[in-house]
Amino acid sequence: MLFMDVSTWDPSDRDRILEHFAKMEIPEGIDVINQWVDLSGNRYYILYEAESSEAYGAFNLPWSDICMIDSVPVMETSEFMQLLPKYKK
């Protein structure tokens, strides 16, 4: 399943965030598609695929002590549009 995460942190935690990024290891079962940094600071976006809830947890839990993660399951619009007829009333 695809997820778009938006991570935010307090500016005072910048150095801790940079340390985390330097040590970050992508767990098995996670395929990072792309990542972006907000140039105005304190926000990071990442699009990735998680094979399981265990992989998802292994990827996000190590960050839970220093940032807030808003995680949203997403799919491409073309795939979503194919699902709509199945749920039309």
Side-chain angles (χ1 to χ4, degrees), residues 18-80:
L18 292 173
E19 288 174 20
H20 248 44
F21 270 111
K23 297 175 185 176
M24 183 172 72
E25 294 182 22
I26 307 298
E28 189 173 324
I30 296 292
D31 179 27
V32 174
I33 297 168
N34 213 333
Q35 358 179 17
W36 303 268
V37 175
D38 180 349
L39 294 176
S40 63
N42 308 328
R43 196 166 27 204
Y44 167 75
Y45 303 86
I46 184 168
L47 178 65
Y48 62 95
E49 187 166 7
E51 290 181 5
S52 66
S53 56
E54 290 83 6
Y56 174 85
F59 191 50
N60 281 310
L61 288 175
W63 294 89
S64 63
D65 63 334
I66 60 171
C67 66
M68 296 294 295
I69 301 173
D70 290 318
S71 190
V72 180
V74 296
M75 72 172 33
E76 291 186 23
T77 303
S78 60
E79 290 180 54
F80 179 76

